Amino acid sequence: MEERSEVLLKVEDKYYPPKHIVERAWVKDYESLYQESIKDREGFGAKVAEELHWFKKWDKVLDWQFPYAQWFVGAQTNITYNCLDRHVLNGRRNKVAYIWLDEDNNEQKITYGELLELVNRIANGLKSLGVKKGDRVSIYMPNSIPAIACMLACARIGAIHSVVFAGFSEGALRTRIEDAKAKVLITATYTKRRGKKIDLLATAQRAIDGLSFVEKVVVWDRDGDVLNGENPLLVSLDKLIKESSPVCEPEVMDAEDPLFILYTSGTTGKPKGVLHTTGGYMVETYYTTKVVFDAHEDDIYWCTADIGWITGHSYIVYGPLANGLTSLVVEGAPDYPNPGRWWSYVERYRVNIFYTAPTAIRMFMRFGEEWPAKYDLSSLRILGSVGEPINPEAWEWYYKHIGRERCVIVDTWWQTETGAHMITTIPSYPAKPGKAGKPFFTIEPAVVDSQGNPLPPNTVGNLVIKSPWPSMLRTCWGEPERYEKYWTTIPGQVYFTGDLATYDEEGYIMILGRADDVLNVAGHRIGTMEVESALVDHPAVAEAAVIGKPHEIKGESIKAFVILKKGVEPSDRLKEDIKQHVRQVLGAIAVPDEIEFVEKLPKTRSGKIMRRVLKAQELGLPVGDVSTLED
Ligand code: ATP
Ligand code: MG
């Protein structure tokens, strides 16, 4: 099989950051700082770590016994001390940490001082239930302040939290609780989505049926009308809070003590329990939040993810809190009761930093620009994207209709496994739509063939990371062999990301999709992202997914599943027109043989297209694990 091929999608446009943004940016000269950072990765990491509080400093920055790394060896800290106490002691006691909103626009605010007390009370409450350092606690709760407080309460006492997205059903929840052997499950009576109540408690109870290691279920009884004291397994979160002391000394954690397990969304197979530890994760989430989002003291920050995903962990909870920011946390659907919901919050709270996913952008594109146009979005400064490659078309829409052509877009490439941003534009150098950008400080990526040989620019290959970094996963819970595979799949002791990428002469990296989604047409390796971007670029197309089908001559042929924009009539002529468009943008080699118009695409609950499901359906093969499928 021919392993190399040229990149078809030409990304030429460069968008320079506005002067007033560069002038106040934490990092003004990316190139020189990056060079400095890779010359002395450990020294650079140590310098950043000095900005945080340690009960005891490290003896050694890095201990690397391939493929196992320890960072800040011998150091002691507690991440909640850095996220809470440090601010309360330094003048931020009355600063708002979170503003929470639900679909009915009920609002709740909590200050750093109040959050510290709440976390301590829950921490003491968990202790009273017998939870100790190293025990696992599963959390199945809506995006909310109590959920965040429960995560932090675990970290306070050294318990390992395992958050399971509240949109998951019983089976997915059960697998994750079982795998982690959680001692306690924390849940809520319900969450609301599109005006509908979803009974989380009932699902939670079914999920743990027969799991004798689960000793207690702590329940946030949101309306105080469900718990009646009859079931000894169920403990009221409110009661725990009321009856526990607001003072709880933070557990002294070794830098390498586990902080949490998070199961990956499973776009590609059975979920893995990615394990993150305390010190390195704390340093990287702190520093990337500060530099990539260029976060400053008075910024209002909003990451639209759910705490059930890594983006929520790193960029709703730990990163923003470590920086002492004020964040929005929003429960419910983005477009309910109408597609103006999110933009009304940007206007009302004067949001400065906004972080979302391409799937959301494409959804809003479908609703039309008249929705954001109704609101004053002038407070925005930094716009972030994460989760999938952002098609240039969606990038430009985001830039124009949300950013009003005066914001910086940072396209952040990273993974559950990496813990924090790895490849991303930062606000001090120009962005290229469709390209994630350059490596973050100390990170050394490479594009290689399957033997680990470096490839020239503008060639599609495997994206690898050449050396360990502080916030990398330390293992897969209970499956060390799965962890080791990340480092042994490609020769040369490099971390294999599972993604395809290419870099240009200026060092910008473009992510082309997952290696297992790659199209191989007549010997050309084509990224799904390239073809999908060309499709979305057609004025009638809202969203698209492509798969490869076995083909006698070409090896594979391309089939495209296309969602049309609102009001567009499907027709055979339109199909031809779309094909013609792809031919113009990418060339004949990338033209889909088949186009099917669909209403929906199979997605993970975090909004990513599950191409393997489309492919299995198309070929009549078993679809495999679909516990993460949206519906
Ligand atoms: P699983 O590993 O279980 O299949 P997943 O990979 O979807 O699930 P995550 O860790 O949440 O779970 O997602 C990381 C992946 O998302 C990356 O490997 C990449 O494929 C994609 N991704 C994330 N951010 C970007 C981005 N900015 N540009 C392109 N792709 C991205
Ligand atoms: Mg993955």
Side-chain angles (χ1 to χ4, degrees), residues 225-256:
D225 57 355
V226 174
L227 293 194
N228 54 17
E230 275 171 22
N231 186 340
L233 190 66
L234 308 183
V235 179
S236 156
L237 178 65
D238 280 331
K239 199 157 166 266
L240 270 192
I241 292 170
K242 276 196 199 93
E243 292 173 359
S244 304
S245 154
V247 180
C248 174
E249 286 305 313
E251 185 76 29
V252 175
M253 300 291 281
D254 192 274
E256 282 299 327

Side-chain angles (χ1 to χ4, degrees), residues 273-564:
V274 167
L275 182 82
H276 282 288
T277 55
T278 305
Y281 177 82
M282 174 175 85
V283 170
E284 289 286 275
T285 52
Y286 160 75
Y287 190 57
T288 48
T289 302
K290 176 175 166 175
V291 169
V292 176
F293 298 129
D294 196 41
H296 292 267
E297 186 65 47
D298 54 357
D299 278 332
I300 302 290
Y301 168 95
W302 182 14
C303 165
T304 69
D306 189 282
I307 50 150
W309 311 119
I310 191 66
T311 306
H313 282 59
S314 300
Y315 299 107
I316 293 178
V317 184
Y318 294 111
L321 288 181
N323 281 276
L325 297 177
T326 299
S327 303
L328 262 65
V329 185
V330 175
E331 182 176 353
D335 56 341
Y336 186 88
N338 63 56
R341 183 181 182 206
W342 279 8
W343 318 124
S344 76
Y345 294 163
V346 171
E347 176 180 283
R348 188 183 319 161
Y349 297 100
R350 311 300 298 147
V351 173
N352 308 105
I353 304 168
F354 179 76
Y355 190 29
T356 196
T359 180
I361 308 286
R362 291 191 300 259
M363 180 185 79
F364 285 113
M365 283 172 78
R366 239 186 133 193
F367 290 128
E369 62 227 38
E370 55 276 20
W371 281 101
K374 291 181 196 180
Y375 300 92
D376 176 3
L377 307 183
S378 61
S379 56
L380 291 170
R381 194 175 81 244
I382 310 285
L383 303 176
S385 173
V386 62
E388 282 183 294
I390 177 162
N391 329 92
E393 179 77 2
W395 196 104
E396 271 150 31
W397 192 91
Y398 197 19
Y399 183 76
K400 192 161 170 207
H401 298 291
I402 307 303
R404 311 271 160 89
E405 302 187 8
R406 39 177 167 59
C407 292
V408 162
I409 296 185
V410 292
D411 178 4
T412 62
W413 177 88
W414 59 297
Q415 308 178 300
T416 306
E417 295 89 335
T418 70
H421 301 152
M422 300 291 279
I423 297 169
T424 172
T425 357
I426 63 167
S428 46
Y429 68 84
K432 296 187 186 182
K435 296 193 173 176
K438 301 187 187 189
F440 193 69
F441 304 107
T442 75
I443 306 298
E444 285 184 281
V447 177
V448 301
D449 67 17
S450 60
Q451 290 313 304
N453 304 306
L455 295 173
N458 303 314
T459 308
V460 182
N462 300 297
L463 178 65
V464 299
I465 312 291
K466 294 201 287 190
S467 37
W469 63 100
S471 60
M472 64 188 240
L473 79 163
R474 297 304 195 262
T475 191
C476 295
W477 187 252
E479 297 181 299
E481 50 313 324
R482 254 180 134 178
Y483 167 75
E484 287 171 10
K485 262 186 86 177
Y486 285 100
W487 291 93
T488 52
T489 299
I490 298 211
Q493 305 205 337
V494 293
Y495 169 89
F496 177 45
T497 65
D499 285 343
L500 287 181
T502 178
Y503 62 97
D504 65 19
E505 287 81 0
E506 292 180 299
Y508 284 74
I509 296 167
M510 173 161 147
I511 312 293
L512 291 128
R514 297 163 179 281
D516 36 26
D517 280 341
V518 64
L519 305 163
N520 190 354
V521 184
H524 293 265
R525 275 156 61 90
I526 303 172
T528 46
M529 182 262 191
E530 295 186 279
V531 186
E532 288 164 8
S533 289
L535 290 162
V536 174
D537 190 52
H538 187 283
V541 177
E543 224 176 335
V546 299
I547 58 164
K549 287 173 74 169
H551 186 277
E552 266 182 36
I553 299 152
K554 296 195 275 190
E556 265 185 333
S557 67
I558 302 175
K559 171 155 187 186
F561 299 84
V562 166
I563 301 180
L564 295 173

Side-chain angles (χ1 to χ4, degrees), residues 194-214:
R194 298 186 186 287
K196 225 182 80 198
K197 265 195 185 179
I198 300 161
D199 190 338
L200 297 178
L201 179 57
T203 307
Q205 282 183 289
R206 284 197 307 271
I208 58 158
D209 188 36
L211 302 183
S212 54
F213 51 83
V214 179

Side-chain angles (χ1 to χ4, degrees), residues 171-186:
L173 176 60
R174 185 184 178 89
T175 320
R176 287 160 176 74
I177 294 173
E178 239 183 329
D179 193 77
K181 292 275 173 306
K183 192 174 200 173
V184 166
L185 168 64
I186 312 180

Side-chain angles (χ1 to χ4, degrees), residues 103-104 190-197 222 331-332:
E103 285 180 343
D104 305 315
Y190 65 87
T191 181
K192 260 171 109 177
R193 197 167 171 89
R194 298 186 186 287
K196 225 182 80 198
K197 265 195 185 179
R222 298 185 75 167
E331 182 176 353

